């Protein structure tokens, strides 16, 4: 830094993933000066590949929809579930909430790169392979001081009028400000890879993500996310104590667990395992607050629940949209109540997803979706939430999520 004056920017965004890129585009449309600091070089690998239809609204709002549509990703119109040979599915076009009923299943390396390039097209500056080392928040409206490391190891500083932390699992501000709280979920892990799936015949609907439940453990499940071009993302999620029973490489362990589920094992009988599997553990996270003076936490930097309903990218986009709207009012000179305008509404949808995740692992939601006599109107309400419309208060299963879920579970179990 050697006596060099810090540069200044209106808004600094940490991370160029989906939350950061959409926020950057929205803010640039407001005429704000935006600098994005991204630790990695894009494209880079990420999971969270099955989008929800609600996401399309935010891509459209950010002016990124055409670029995503023209990228050639796998079309998606719903979600399918398998357990003990029983199959059920939800068509997201047949739902309670208004809005998009279709979306895409995406290789995140390509998808995230498209969004970042779109943010740049709108005029945001994105600095790849630059890493935020420290953030000192300003007092009484003063700008924050951000220390950044360049790819060559040299450091520089930036005065930022406002910071949006979209650093994902890096969770920069939660770590620096000690905002992290333990998740109320057990410690789970995922083993996953991409394969040339070799799936043949018309019995498999490539327009839907498939979630398969382990035959002996209702809290162990597999995702199968078809991509365009005959490939898919394949993974298993379980508590770490379950995953640790299996020996060998991550690929060998994933294959061994899949071999225990007959329908999935048969589905992938001709798969070519051409990409080494990876493993992540302890990904669920929470914070005691989503905003503070001069900053807000977006997407996974604030809270990550679980991959089972593919809610992560939708929550990231929602957080970006809410934060951009609040900042527009703030820069216009209005007094913004960040809790009322950002923290509370964001958590409402997160809590809706949370109730469904908790019910899934306890087995209750599985009892509901595999029940033989499903009422069409209730199925449409559930389809809306699975499609990402977790903020639609016209849906009774959003407005009163725990009570409605418990009552429906009791009916289906009885």
């Amino acid at each position: 830094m050697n006596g060099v004056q810090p540069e200044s920017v209106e808004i600094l965004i940490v991370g160029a993933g989906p939350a950061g890129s959409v926020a950057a585009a929205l803010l640039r449309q407001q005429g704000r000066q935006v600098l994005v600091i991204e630790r990695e070089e894009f494209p880079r690998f990420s999971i969270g590949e099955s989008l929800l239809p609600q996401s399309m609204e935010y891509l459209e709002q950010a002016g990124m929809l055409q670029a995503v549509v023209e990228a050639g990703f796998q079309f998606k119109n719903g979600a399918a579930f398998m357990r003990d040979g029983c199959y059920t599915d939800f068509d997201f076009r047949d739902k309670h909430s208004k809005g998009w009923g279709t979306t895409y299943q995406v290789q995140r390396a390509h998808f995230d790169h498209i969004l970042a390039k779109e943010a740049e097209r709108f005029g945001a500056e994105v600095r790849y392979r630059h890493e935020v080392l420290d953030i000192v928040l300003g007092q009484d409206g003063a700008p924050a001081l951000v220390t950044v490391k360049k790819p060559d190891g040299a450091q520089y500083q930036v005065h930022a009028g406002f910071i949006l932390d979209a650093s994902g699992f890096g969770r920069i501000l939660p770590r620096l400000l000690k905002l992290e709280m333990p998740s109320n979920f057990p410690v789970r892990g995922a083993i996953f890879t991409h394969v040339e799936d070799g799936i043949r015949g018309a019995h498999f609907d490539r327009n839907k993500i498939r979630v398969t439940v382990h035959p002996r453990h209702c809290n162990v499940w597999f995702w199968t996310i078809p991509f365009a071009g005959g490939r898919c993302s394949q993974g298993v999620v379980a508590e770490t104590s379950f995953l640790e029973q299996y020996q060998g490489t991550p690929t060998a362990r994933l294959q061994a667990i899949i071999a225990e589920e007959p329908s999935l094992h048969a589905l992938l009988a001709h798969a070519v395992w051409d990409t080494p599997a990876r493993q992540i553990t302890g990904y669920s996270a929470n914070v005691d607050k989503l905003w503070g003076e001069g900053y807000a936490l977006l997407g996974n930097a604030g809270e990550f629940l679980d991959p089972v309903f593919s809610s992560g990218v939708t929550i990231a986009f929602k957080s970006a949209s809410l934060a951009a709207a609040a900042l527009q009012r703030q820069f216009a000179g209005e007094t913004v109540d960040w809790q009322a305008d950002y923290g509370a509404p964001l958590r409402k949808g997160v809590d809706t997803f949370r109730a469904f995740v908790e019910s899934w692992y306890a087995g209750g939601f599985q009892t509901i979706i595999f029940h033989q006599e499903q009422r069409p109107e209730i199925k449409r309400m559930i389809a809306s939430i699975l499609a990402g419309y977790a903020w639609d208060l016209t849906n009774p299963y959003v407005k009163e999520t725990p009570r409605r879920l418990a009552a429906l579970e009791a009916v289906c179990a009885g």
Side-chain angles (χ1 to χ4, degrees), residues 1-314:
M1 288 156 321
N2 299 319
V4 177
Q5 288 295 314
E7 58 185 295
S8 295
V9 66
E10 284 185 310
I11 300 169
L12 185 142
I13 299 176
V14 186
S21 292
V22 165
L26 292 171
L27 291 164
R28 283 297 304 144
Q29 291 170 38
Q30 299 173 18
R32 303 270 68 86
Q33 179 194 17
V34 179
L35 172 63
V36 182
I37 302 297
E38 168 55 50
R39 183 178 62 182
E40 304 292 337
E41 183 68 62
F42 277 30
R44 55 90 177 95
F45 181 86
S46 181
I47 55 171
E49 299 140 325
S50 194
L51 304 183
L52 302 183
Q54 170 78 90
S55 298
M56 305 294 278
E57 174 185 332
Y58 302 117
L59 290 171
E60 191 170 26
Q61 181 186 12
M64 297 175 167
L65 185 60
Q66 181 176 346
V68 172
V69 169
E70 292 180 352
F73 293 120
Q74 170 66 47
F75 177 78
K76 175 186 174 183
N77 62 20
F81 297 87
M82 283 285 296
R83 186 183 69 176
D84 291 333
C86 296
Y87 175 92
T88 188
D89 64 24
F90 291 82
D91 188 328
F92 292 159
R93 297 165 296 185
D94 184 17
K95 65 185 188 315
H96 168 86
S97 302
K98 297 178 180 179
W100 286 83
T102 62
T103 185
Y104 297 101
Q105 296 177 145
V106 301
Q107 292 96 329
R108 283 284 302 277
H110 186 31
F111 177 74
D112 289 10
H113 198 198
I114 288 173
L115 300 193
K117 288 189 291 186
E118 286 293 286
E120 290 180 290
R121 181 174 66 85
F122 280 106
E125 181 182 358
V126 182
R127 296 179 185 171
Y128 297 101
R129 297 178 60 209
H130 286 229
E131 181 179 1
V132 172
L133 299 179
D134 189 37
I135 298 174
V136 179
L137 296 176
Q139 301 294 323
D140 301 321
L145 183 63
V146 182
T147 302
V148 184
K149 184 174 70 173
K150 297 180 180 180
D152 63 6
Q155 297 181 17
Y156 63 97
Q157 292 184 315
V158 180
H159 276 140
F162 200 92
I163 296 174
L164 294 176
D165 185 352
S167 60
F169 294 122
R171 302 171 64 77
I172 299 294
L173 274 175
R175 287 190 293 103
L176 291 175
L177 302 182
K178 296 180 171 53
L179 302 175
E180 294 180 299
M181 294 173 54
S183 170
N184 64 335
F185 292 141
V187 178
R188 297 190 177 99
I191 306 175
F192 51 90
T193 189
H194 290 177
V195 300
E196 182 181 326
D197 56 61
I199 298 173
R200 303 171 182 175
H203 63 289
F204 179 65
D205 187 349
R206 299 194 73 89
N207 296 331
K208 294 177 175 64
I209 181 177
R210 179 174 293 195
V211 173
T212 305
V213 183
H214 191 281
R216 297 189 302 279
H217 308 279
C218 75
N219 62 347
V220 177
W221 62 275
F222 306 87
W223 76 67
T224 305
I225 302 173
F227 296 139
R231 296 186 65 79
C232 77
S233 174
Q234 181 61 58
V236 63
V237 175
E239 292 186 24
T240 52
S241 57
F242 177 88
L243 298 177
E244 288 167 356
Q245 300 176 75
Y246 299 84
Q247 304 299 314
T249 66
T251 300
R253 296 164 66 205
L254 176 57
Q255 291 174 321
I257 302 171
I258 288 172
E260 297 177 358
E261 208 299 310
S263 67
L264 184 57
H265 185 60
L267 188 70
L268 297 173
H270 303 287
V272 178
W273 297 76
D274 53 9
T275 307
R278 308 180 185 209
Q279 179 171 346
I280 58 172
T281 58
Y283 43 73
S284 296
N286 201 354
V287 291
D288 61 7
K289 59 179 181 177
L290 292 168
W291 62 275
E293 184 179 355
Y295 74 89
L297 309 179
L298 305 185
N300 293 348
E303 181 166 7
F304 182 76
L305 295 172
D306 190 271
V308 65
F309 300 126
S310 305
S311 61
V313 173
T314 299

